[in-house]
Amino acid sequence: MKFETRAIHAGQGPDPAYGAVMQPIYQVSTFAYKGVKQMGPFDYSRSGNPTRKALEDCIASLEGGAYGFAFGTGMAAETTALALLSAGDHIIVHDDLYGGTYRLCKAVISRQGVDVQFVNLRDVDALKSAIKPHTKLIWTETPTNPLMNILDLAAIAEIAKTKGVLTLCDNTFLSPYFQNPLALGIDMALHSTTKYINGHSDVVGGAIVVNDPELAGRLAFHQNALGTCQAPFDCFLVLRGLKTLAVRMEAHNRNALEIAQWLEKHPKIESVLHPGLSSHPQHDLALRQARGFGGTFSFKVKGGEDEAFRLLANVKLFILAESLGGVESLIEHPWTMTHLSMPEEVRAAAGITGNLIRISVGIEHVDDLIADLEQALEKV
Ligand SMILES: *Cc1c(COP(=O)(O)O)cnc(C)c1O
């Protein structure tokens, strides 16, 4: 079945109790046994819950994987994946990625004895030489946040396989509609479902999808042992959002590309970082690896922080807020907002500068969005 159909039907059917057409919210902590030693399909909601199972099966299907897991936040999904590591293990993490992932690796995982090494994974030779005998995991994110660099997932997966190292891709930015890491050989696809998958800025959540039954067993164990699972009501909301993922992603993609092309010609713009533009240094790789570019991208205004702040102060429709992937358009300043958890020198070295702006283009009419940016840029 096609993506659009799976988004609406996978993992779900009329409820066996009353034929409810939509997945009911099983707002319950515990389930009755039929008798001594006769457990039903669920016993306790931390280990499993019917509403969560419907969501997990649906996301797995959309990622083209066999096993899905839903978590309370994207960071809870990350915590669970990183719990597969033990003290003394080595992990290679792409050096330009979500600020919260950087903080988790730097301030928590390292302290627990995991040897964390940040490497620019656009350079596959650097990856090859970074792999050590005790390397257990390679952590990727593409396109990267907020610089929109692209990693070659198939090339990374191939190197990892020859060395027997697990790979993970944070696929939040493109969603399973545009990119499927498992099909490119990556072992774990991870999402902050807070973003495009839910799509309505009204819930936080995370997900991991895998194909390997042994890896799935380890993730299920850790999801239960750590208690990182998502609550039934939040699973219901994410399932509801997920049904329209295909139509939303098409609209985000179309609006964002049109705005990127418009900004590129604007005299007050220094550069536009969007993988769909032929000016993007990895445009061909982006086209080969994914079916679209999503709705989030960045650009630099001519000048510095003052010019960026004037733009942010003058937009009326774009909302000044962190996060991305909702139906409404958001605008933010990575240097002082989303990427503040990275030390100044790390931000600067990566190219996150004071004049960099990130926008999450919503699904409003593109003419209104361009008009808003135009009037704000006049005041810069
Ligand atoms: C937001 C985000 C996360 C963290 O997810 P939360 O739901 O906020 O915990 C991880 N990775 C990326 C790329 C994100 O954008």
Side-chain angles (χ1 to χ4, degrees):
M1 271 190 283
K2 302 282 192 199
F3 188 97
E4 292 81 348
T5 313
R6 282 181 280 134
I8 290 164
H9 296 286
Q12 304 153 72
D15 178 58
Y18 296 108
V21 169
M22 287 299 141
Q23 181 61 41
I25 308 166
Y26 283 89
Q27 189 67 41
V28 60
S29 60
T30 192
F31 298 82
Y33 278 55
K34 292 188 178 66
V36 176
K37 291 191 175 172
Q38 285 181 284
M39 193 188 118
F42 299 97
D43 68 334
Y44 187 64
S45 277
R46 170 157 43 72
S47 355
N49 174 284
T51 314
R52 192 172 98 215
K53 174 96 170 72
L55 172 63
E56 293 178 331
D57 289 352
C58 189
I59 293 182
S61 166
L62 296 182
E63 267 296 10
Y67 307 94
F69 301 91
F71 301 93
T73 64
M75 293 316 298
E78 296 196 13
T79 300
T80 308
L82 289 166
L84 300 175
L85 302 168
S86 304
D89 288 346
H90 176 240
I91 166 179
I92 296 172
V93 183
H94 181 52
D95 67 357
D96 145 36
L97 84 177
Y98 179 68
T101 308
Y102 178 86
R103 179 174 56 198
L104 177 61
C105 288
K106 214 54 195 173
V108 182
I109 302 306
S110 301
R111 191 166 38 82
Q112 293 171 343
V114 174
D115 177 7
V116 181
Q117 185 181 354
F118 293 93
V119 175
N120 177 359
L121 296 181
R122 275 180 290 161
D123 179 352
V124 287
D125 290 328
L127 169 62
K128 278 185 201 153
S129 51
I131 296 177
K132 298 176 185 167
H134 63 305
T135 305
K136 292 286 159 60
L137 178 64
I138 298 168
W139 188 288
T140 70
E141 179 180 321
T142 181
T144 64
N145 177 3
L147 296 167
M148 307 308 292
N149 290 314
I150 311 288
L151 297 181
D152 188 337
L153 293 179
I156 292 169
E158 202 181 306
I159 294 166
K161 282 210 163 55
T162 63
K163 304 272 187 185
V165 179
L166 279 177
T167 47
L168 179 147
C169 176
D170 184 336
N171 198 27
T172 299
F173 262 43
L174 291 187
S175 90
Y177 183 69
F178 283 134
Q179 179 168 275
N180 300 115
L182 302 185
L184 297 164
I186 297 288
D187 297 306
M188 291 182 261
L190 180 142
H191 290 276
S192 165
T193 56
T194 310
K195 316 294 167 54
Y196 289 104
I197 287 185
N198 178 61
H200 294 76
S201 303
D202 52 10
V203 64
V204 285
I208 299 179
V209 177
V210 302
N211 262 322
D212 177 53
E214 194 263 337
L215 182 56
R218 287 165 69 203
L219 286 168
F221 172 83
H222 284 92
Q223 183 191 41
N224 185 44
L226 295 169
T228 46
C229 58
Q230 189 159 39
F233 183 69
D234 287 2
C235 290
F236 165 82
L237 284 175
V238 178
L239 260 177
R240 192 180 201 270
L242 193 50
K243 289 183 192 298
T244 55
L245 182 63
V247 284
R248 284 187 286 109
M249 289 315 289
E250 286 292 343
H252 285 295
N253 191 59
R254 197 171 53 238
N255 280 356
L257 189 58
E258 195 168 330
I259 293 173
Q261 286 162 343
W262 176 80
L263 283 171
E264 206 173 30
K265 290 189 222 107
H266 197 284
K268 290 195 177 162
I269 299 299
E270 181 185 298
S271 59
V272 181
L273 288 62
H274 187 298
L277 298 175
S278 51
S279 59
H280 190 285
Q282 295 167 297
H283 179 58
D284 292 342
L285 174 59
L287 286 173
R288 196 162 72 234
Q289 179 165 280
R291 296 175 292 273
F293 315 103
T296 304
F297 69 95
S298 303
F299 58 90
K300 291 182 178 182
V301 292
K302 280 185 186 157
E305 201 171 73
D306 292 347
E307 284 72 15
F309 286 174
R310 278 204 289 279
L311 173 61
L312 295 171
N314 284 294
V315 284
K316 295 194 173 88
L317 196 51
F318 278 85
I319 301 168
L320 179 63
E322 297 189 3
S323 198
L324 57 110
V327 291
E328 74 294 333
S329 292
L330 303 179
I331 191 162
E332 68 108 3
H333 187 241
W335 180 266
T336 57
M337 293 170 70
T338 48
H339 287 67
L340 197 59
S341 57
M342 281 185 179
E344 207 168 301
E345 64 280 7
V346 177
R347 271 177 278 159
I352 301 171
T353 48
N355 65 344
L356 182 76
I357 305 260
R358 188 188 79 187
I359 55 176
S360 168
V361 178
I363 63 171
E364 302 95 335
H365 199 289
V366 70
D367 292 352
D368 294 324
L369 297 175
I370 289 180
D372 189 37
L373 291 172
E374 187 158 35
Q375 64 79 26
L377 279 167
E378 272 167 26
K379 297 171 185 123
V380 165

